[in-house]
Amino acid sequence: MVAAMLHRRLSLAALLLLAAATSLALAQQPAPAPAFQPPLRDRIQAYLDEWRAAASFPGASVGVVLPDGTAFGVVTGVSDRAAGTPLKVEDLFLAGSTGKTFFAAVAVQLIERGALDLDAPISKYLGARPWFSRLPNAKEITVRHLMTHTSGIVRYEMDPKFTTDLRAQPDKVWRPEGQIAYQFAGKRPFAAGQGWDYSDTNYIVLGMIVEGITGKPLYDEIRTRFLAPLKLTRVVPSTSRRIPGLIPGYAGPRDPLGLPDEMMVKGELAVNPQFEWAGGGFATSPLDLARWGRELYAGRALSPAARKIMLDAAVPARLGPETKYGLGVIVRPTTPVGLAWGHSGFFPGYQTELIYLPDPGVSLAIQINTSAPRATGNRSLLRALYDIAAMTKPPAR
């Protein structure tokens, strides 16, 4: 009996030793490798190709800048519908209101060093102009009101008289005073600071103030302060009907400015885009636009103090749930990818979106060469950028 008990104890000990050895061997084995994912560029390419197949836009171009500074572009589709020319990463699109970010950045730098007072009435800078008193809310508007679209000045570029004159004089070089004059007889939708209404007119007036302070053309200031030092060679002023590197755009059948579907014929735009000026005023490649987003929101374009001024000024804006507008920046608390800073852009024939995600530090831009309604199918440009942003997250372990 003693021998039997001893045998059972030895057998139990052997089993325990075997179990311990097995557990140790399993612990020493490498963890199962995560499921294979193609390289990020390939995943973005597949996404764009699938999206274009289900939509009707001619081409789309995306610029990506990752937290470590890696930057690349991905394209799908064509730059010219008739010729079937494949879209290239370096191709330029009219950036629309995304260009406000450049003009606003100059103003924010001036605010930071005290040369421009954010809360001063604009009469301090423009009050001596003979037309000033005819501007709606003239005496009450501050620089802050202009930059956050809370001035109560509406959009001159949607005025039927302006759009008629624009189409009738496609080569005209517009002066800021002539553009804002379309609002002199208009009614204010609200008192300054008592509402929100997006308006290019605000930034035309701001541009006049900033040029008065610097004494230099704003395009020169932007080139000197940002484009040259940051080597943004594919960001160029849109000041002519012929812009080297600009691809054709397609406005669709019901353009709000009454412009034709084919916005470019034989390399010449239907109208002179120079009228945009401080309201937009640039042609860009999405790759350089994404680079600009990184430099503006996290890099060398502004100091941390200036960036804080730009973002802290944000007020509620009618651009989506909980969306705010700061000094030339749209602040979106997005559900899929977290907080996003950036701007949207429209010019007949072109659409643009720029976003920077402070967490995880990714900058993305997308541009397409159509503004036709429903051309993007079942997703917006922003939705596409959010989807692409999700792809940049490292795989869960």
Side-chain angles (χ1 to χ4, degrees):
M1 184 174 181
V2 172
M5 291 176 62
L6 180 60
H7 176 73
R8 283 196 296 271
R9 287 175 182 173
L10 288 174
S11 298
L12 179 60
L15 288 172
L16 291 172
L17 285 172
L18 179 61
T22 301
S23 297
L24 179 61
L26 289 172
Q28 290 176 339
Q29 288 181 359
F36 172 75
Q37 282 191 316
L40 177 60
R41 191 193 303 256
D42 292 346
R43 281 181 279 148
I44 296 174
Q45 184 71 67
Y47 177 91
L48 292 180
D49 291 344
E50 176 273 327
W51 179 28
R52 179 173 178 263
S56 61
F57 57 85
S61 181
V62 171
V64 180
V65 182
L66 300 177
D68 64 0
T70 300
F72 58 89
V74 184
V75 299
T76 188
V78 300
S79 59
D80 186 311
R81 287 189 315 204
T85 309
L87 193 61
K88 301 187 294 296
V89 169
E90 63 270 23
D91 284 337
L92 299 181
F93 302 70
L94 289 177
S97 287
T98 312
K100 284 184 176 70
T101 58
F102 295 96
F103 294 94
V106 176
V108 170
Q109 286 187 338
L110 296 178
I111 292 166
E112 182 188 23
R113 64 181 178 87
L116 176 62
D117 185 344
L118 184 60
D119 290 307
I122 63 172
S123 58
K124 174 180 178 180
Y125 306 102
L126 300 174
R129 307 286 179 100
W131 48 262
F132 181 74
S133 62
R134 300 178 64 193
L135 194 67
N137 290 337
K139 294 181 180 179
E140 294 79 30
I141 296 171
T142 66
V143 174
R144 183 188 297 272
H145 292 147
L146 292 178
M147 297 191 72
T148 57
H149 298 291
T150 55
S151 70
I153 305 174
V154 299
R155 304 176 72 167
Y156 80 92
E157 74 277 15
M158 294 301 178
D159 185 289
K161 189 174 187 312
F162 170 77
T163 57
T164 298
D165 292 344
L166 177 68
R167 295 191 302 270
Q169 305 171 79
D171 289 307
K172 180 173 178 174
V173 176
W174 294 84
R175 299 294 303 161
E177 293 86 352
Q179 291 163 271
I180 63 173
Y182 286 91
Q183 294 306 307
F184 288 163
K187 295 181 179 180
R188 62 179 192 172
F190 50 82
Q194 300 304 306
W196 192 90
D197 189 23
Y198 188 87
S199 171
D200 278 10
T201 318
N202 288 314
Y203 275 70
I204 297 295
V205 177
L206 175 70
M208 298 169 73
I209 293 173
V210 173
E211 282 199 340
I213 293 171
T214 65
K216 299 176 182 177
L218 261 173
Y219 281 122
D220 291 350
E221 286 291 304
I222 291 169
R223 182 178 62 252
T224 301
R225 293 169 184 255
F226 308 125
L227 303 185
L230 299 176
K231 297 180 172 56
L232 300 175
T233 60
R234 304 304 290 167
V235 177
V236 301
S238 52
T239 54
S240 169
R241 292 179 70 183
R242 290 184 177 273
I243 302 172
L246 180 69
I247 65 170
Y250 304 92
R254 295 179 298 278
D255 176 67
L257 274 65
L259 295 175
D261 177 34
E262 292 194 32
M263 278 295 295
M264 180 186 288
V265 177
K266 296 181 179 179
E268 185 174 74
L269 289 165
V271 294
N272 187 356
Q274 173 270 342
F275 74 87
E276 267 201 310
W277 191 48
F282 282 96
T284 63
S285 75
L287 181 53
D288 263 14
L289 190 57
R291 288 187 174 118
W292 165 243
R294 176 182 171 89
E295 295 290 0
L296 177 61
Y297 301 122
R300 297 168 287 172
L302 297 177
S303 71
R307 194 172 297 117
K308 187 174 188 302
I309 292 170
M310 177 179 68
L311 294 166
D312 285 354
V315 298
R318 299 197 311 272
L319 295 171
E322 299 182 66
T323 300
K324 295 183 177 183
Y325 197 98
L327 306 184
V329 57
I330 300 173
V331 180
R332 294 183 174 97
T334 71
T335 299
V337 290
L339 186 64
W341 304 328
H343 214 289
S344 305
F346 160 87
F347 192 95
Y350 308 86
Q351 294 183 65
T352 302
E353 288 287 351
L354 166 67
I355 62 170
Y356 175 78
L357 308 172
D359 182 15
V362 173
S363 186
L364 299 169
I366 184 169
Q367 295 186 272
I368 65 173
N369 55 338
T370 182
S371 57
R374 297 180 292 279
T376 59
N378 62 358
R379 71 194 74 164
S380 66
L381 269 65
L382 266 179
R383 177 72 258 177
L385 284 191
Y386 296 156
D387 290 346
I388 292 169
M391 297 180 202
T392 68
K393 294 181 179 181
R397 297 189 62 84

